[in-house]
Amino acid sequence: MESLHQNTLTEADQELVQLYRRHYSPPVQSPGEVRRFELALQARLTRGARVQRWSMAGFGMVLTAALALFFFRSSLSTVEPGASGAWVSFAADASDILVVDEGWLELEELMVSPVPEQETELLALTEDVLDTGADDEWMPDDYQGLADVLSNGS
Amino acid sequence: MKPAALTIQPAITAPETLEQRFQALVSTHRERAVRMAWRLVGGDLAAAEDIAQEAFVKAWQALPTWRGDSELSTWFYRILLRQAANHRRWQGVRTFWHGLMKVQSEEGYHDLSRDAALQKRLAKALEQLSPGQREVFVLVHLEGFTLTEVAELLGKAPGTLKSHLHRALESLRESLQDVRLPDVEEER
C-alpha cells in the first residue's frame, strides 16, 4: 500500500507515518463483530426501505390532497353564477327557485284569504278592472295596483 | 425494492444485479471503510461503525442512480468521507451537550490493552490539523490512496493536496517531537 508520494518523504516523515500506521488503527474485528456489523447494516437497510416507502406514500397523499384543493378552489373562482353544467350554478339556481316559490306561496295565501281591511279595496279594484272593458290595456296598471295593496297590507 | 441480504451469494454469470453489486461492495470495503472512518473521527469505534453503515445505506439508496462514470469504490468512499465530515461537524455540538449533561464520555479508545496513551497522543496531534489536512494525511499516508485518487475523491486540485500534506507533516512533527519510538520499523 505504498503510495508514490511516500518516496518523497524525509526519513523523519517516514518514521512519523510508520508510527501512525502501527499505532493508530482500530482493533481488528472478530468474525462475530463482522456478523454484528452486517446484521446492524441489514436492519438499517430494511428500516431505510420502510421509511422510504412511507415517505413516498405520504408525499403522494399530500400531493393528491393539494391538487384536489387547488382544483376545488379554482372551480369556485372561475365558474360564473348561472353557468350551466356546474354544481355551483345549479345550487344558485335551486336557491333562486326556492325563493320564487316561497313568494308565490305567500301571494296565493293572501289571494285566498285576504285580511278584512284589504277585502274592500280588493273588491273595488276588481270592479274597476271589470268596468274598463278593455282586455289588454288595463292589465299592467291594475296588476301593479293589486301588488301595492297586497304589499301595504302585509 | 427489497434491501440486499448480506449473505454471500454464489457467483452468477448473468449481468450483475444491483443487489449483487452492493453485496460485493460491502464485503470488499467494509473493513477499510470502518478503519478509515475510525482514523478520521479520532479513534471512536462506535462512531466509525455508524458512519460506515450510514455510508453503505446511502450508497444502496443511490446505487440505481450511479452512472458509472467513476469506480464504484471511489463513489462509495466519497459518500463515506461526506458522512465522516458531517459527523465531525456535529461533534462540537455533541461534546457541548455531554458537557451540559455532565456525561463522562471516553471519546473512543475502548481497547486499553493497546498503547492507549500513545494512541491518544497521535489522535490529539491529528485533531490539531485542519479538516482538509487531516483528510489528505489519512487518505494518502495511512490508507494508501494516490494523490490522483484523493483529488478525485475530494474534488480538489493535486497541488492543493500536496500543500495540505506538507503542512500536515510539519504540524505532526512539531506536535510529536517528544515521542521517540526506537522500535519503529517498517510495517509489513
Side-chain angles (χ1 to χ4, degrees):
Chain A
M1 290 230 297
E2 207 74 9
S3 71
L4 289 174
H5 195 75
Q6 201 87 14
N7 300 332
T8 63
L9 293 179
T10 63
E11 199 177 324
D13 287 342
Q14 279 185 15
E15 271 188 17
L16 190 70
V17 169
Q18 290 308 325
L19 179 68
Y20 266 97
R21 282 190 173 187
R22 289 192 64 191
H23 296 277
Y24 195 63
S25 300
V28 177
Q29 290 184 301
S30 65
E33 286 170 327
V34 172
R35 187 72 195 130
R36 183 180 52 78
F37 179 92
E38 288 180 346
L39 286 173
L41 177 56
Q42 180 67 56
R44 277 190 188 209
L45 287 168
T46 312
R47 199 167 55 230
R50 203 180 302 138
V51 168
Q52 212 173 12
R53 265 200 309 277
W54 274 106
S55 59
M56 281 180 75
F59 177 72
M61 284 165 69
V62 169
L63 188 68
T64 309
L67 282 173
L69 187 66
F70 173 76
F71 284 119
F72 174 73
R73 285 183 64 87
S74 60
S75 73
L76 276 183
S77 59
T78 55
V79 172
E80 294 295 326
S84 60
W87 69 271
V88 179
S89 64
F90 171 77
D93 291 347
S95 68
D96 286 346
I97 289 165
L98 196 65
V99 169
V100 172
D101 277 352
E102 279 174 359
W104 274 113
L105 281 173
E106 202 177 336
L107 190 63
E108 277 173 14
E109 204 175 320
L110 280 167
M111 293 285 280
V112 170
S113 56
V115 287
E117 305 89 71
Q118 291 172 333
E119 200 170 13
T120 319
E121 285 184 71
L122 199 61
L123 281 172
L125 185 67
T126 311
E127 280 172 10
D128 288 349
V129 168
L130 290 173
D131 284 345
T132 55
D135 283 329
D136 295 325
E137 290 82 4
W138 62 270
M139 279 303 283
D141 291 335
D142 291 319
Y143 200 81
Q144 183 60 49
L146 179 63
D148 288 342
V149 169
L150 291 173
S151 62
N152 290 334
S154 62
Chain B
M1 194 181 290
K2 215 178 78 176
L6 295 175
T7 45
I8 306 299
Q9 301 291 324
I12 296 171
T13 50
E16 220 181 13
T17 64
L18 283 182
E19 289 192 16
Q20 287 168 334
R21 194 173 285 174
F22 182 70
Q23 284 162 13
L25 180 78
V26 173
S27 57
T28 314
H29 296 280
R30 176 193 51 77
E31 194 181 342
R32 195 183 196 187
V34 173
R35 190 182 60 219
M36 199 192 288
W38 186 92
R39 284 169 164 166
L40 286 169
V41 298
D44 185 341
L45 186 60
E49 287 192 349
D50 187 54
I51 289 166
Q53 285 177 9
E54 202 53 41
F56 279 122
V57 170
K58 283 199 173 0
W60 167 253
Q61 286 168 347
L63 199 56
T65 63
W66 177 61
R67 289 168 301 175
D69 47 4
S70 63
E71 285 286 319
L72 186 63
S73 57
T74 308
W75 177 75
F76 166 71
Y77 284 121
R78 214 176 284 148
I79 296 173
L80 183 85
L81 286 172
R82 252 200 314 272
Q83 283 299 122
N86 281 345
H87 177 87
R88 290 192 63 85
R89 205 167 294 134
W90 287 99
Q91 204 162 27
V93 178
R94 280 194 294 271
T95 310
F96 174 75
W97 182 250
H98 282 171
L100 279 183
M101 302 293 286
K102 299 195 187 311
V103 173
Q104 294 297 315
S105 120
E106 261 304 307
E107 293 292 326
Y109 310 107
H110 304 292
D111 187 7
L112 295 175
S113 63
R114 292 159 69 98
D115 193 349
L118 175 62
Q119 208 171 65
K120 227 168 192 171
R121 281 291 310 276
L122 296 178
K124 202 175 171 188
L126 211 54
E127 279 292 304
Q128 287 167 352
L129 303 181
S130 73
Q133 290 169 3
R134 186 169 44 241
E135 274 177 348
V136 180
F137 177 79
V138 168
L139 293 174
V140 172
H141 289 311
L142 306 188
E143 292 299 329
F145 284 98
T146 65
L147 274 177
T148 317
E149 286 169 337
V150 178
E152 197 186 345
L153 277 175
L154 298 176
K156 287 179 181 167
T160 313
L161 299 180
K162 279 181 188 170
S163 157
H164 276 330
L165 271 181
H166 178 74
R167 291 207 180 109
L169 286 167
E170 211 172 56
S171 169
L172 290 174
R173 268 200 313 269
E174 200 180 308
S175 303
L176 300 168
Q177 57 188 342
D178 60 318
V179 177
R180 289 281 175 270
L181 281 180
D183 59 340
V184 169
E185 56 195 41
E186 282 297 309
E187 190 189 37
R188 292 183 199 116

